[in-house]
Amino acid sequence: EVQLQASGGGLVQPGGSLRLSCAASGFTLAAYAVAWFRQAPGKEREIISYIYTVDGSPNYADSVRGRFTLSRDNGKNTLYLQMNSLKPEDTAVYYCAAVPGDGLLHLTTDEYDYWGQGTLVTVSS
């Protein structure tokens, strides 16, 4: 069964850090374009970080660049999102997503085939 299992969310104070994980099963994550999206209350789901070639470097939305780091461990078939200097506006449900790597840029939700279940990150004092 193809599955993405996201974990690592929680409550953190402003300025704190969290690391999200997304474990893949049933397929080889290294062959896929991958991304993290988030959806804040009352807002649309937005892409915040992605790698669109199987050996490419991560890309980031302006809102998280310099604070968040996307990485993947091919040996563990797992995707990570290290989040530092968290702000209240980072509060959202975070989703990992994957689509077979074809060298094309995928930025919208309907372009991704597989999704994690979402993990809630709350940044509050």
Side-chain angles (χ1 to χ4, degrees):
E1 179 183 7
V2 173
Q3 193 173 17
L4 288 172
Q5 183 70 37
S7 62
L11 174 64
V12 62
Q13 292 186 342
S17 298
L18 281 175
R19 188 177 79 156
L20 306 183
S21 299
C22 177
S25 58
F27 68 104
T28 302
L29 197 59
Y32 281 65
V34 294
W36 284 96
F37 288 75
R38 69 184 181 187
Q39 187 165 17
K43 295 188 177 181
E44 293 188 352
R45 194 171 300 188
E46 62 173 348
I47 192 167
I48 57 170
S49 185
Y50 59 94
I51 300 174
Y52 71 96
T53 57
V54 295
D55 58 354
S57 299
N59 297 274
Y60 301 95
D62 290 344
S63 58
V64 306
R65 186 177 294 113
R67 301 187 297 121
F68 290 10
T69 303
L70 184 158
S71 62
R72 58 179 164 188
D73 185 329
N74 293 335
K76 295 183 178 180
N77 215 27
T78 299
L79 186 68
Y80 300 99
L81 185 69
Q82 177 66 42
M83 306 186 295
N84 299 328
S85 302
L86 282 161
K87 305 175 182 180
E89 52 263 44
D90 294 318
T91 295
V93 178
Y94 285 70
Y95 299 89
C96 53
V99 62
D102 56 7
L104 301 178
L105 190 59
H106 301 285
L107 297 178
T108 62
T109 55
D110 58 356
E111 295 178 274
Y112 284 82
D113 294 336
Y114 305 123
W115 288 86
Q117 81 281 14
T119 185
L120 176 63
V121 173
T122 303
V123 185
S124 175
S125 55

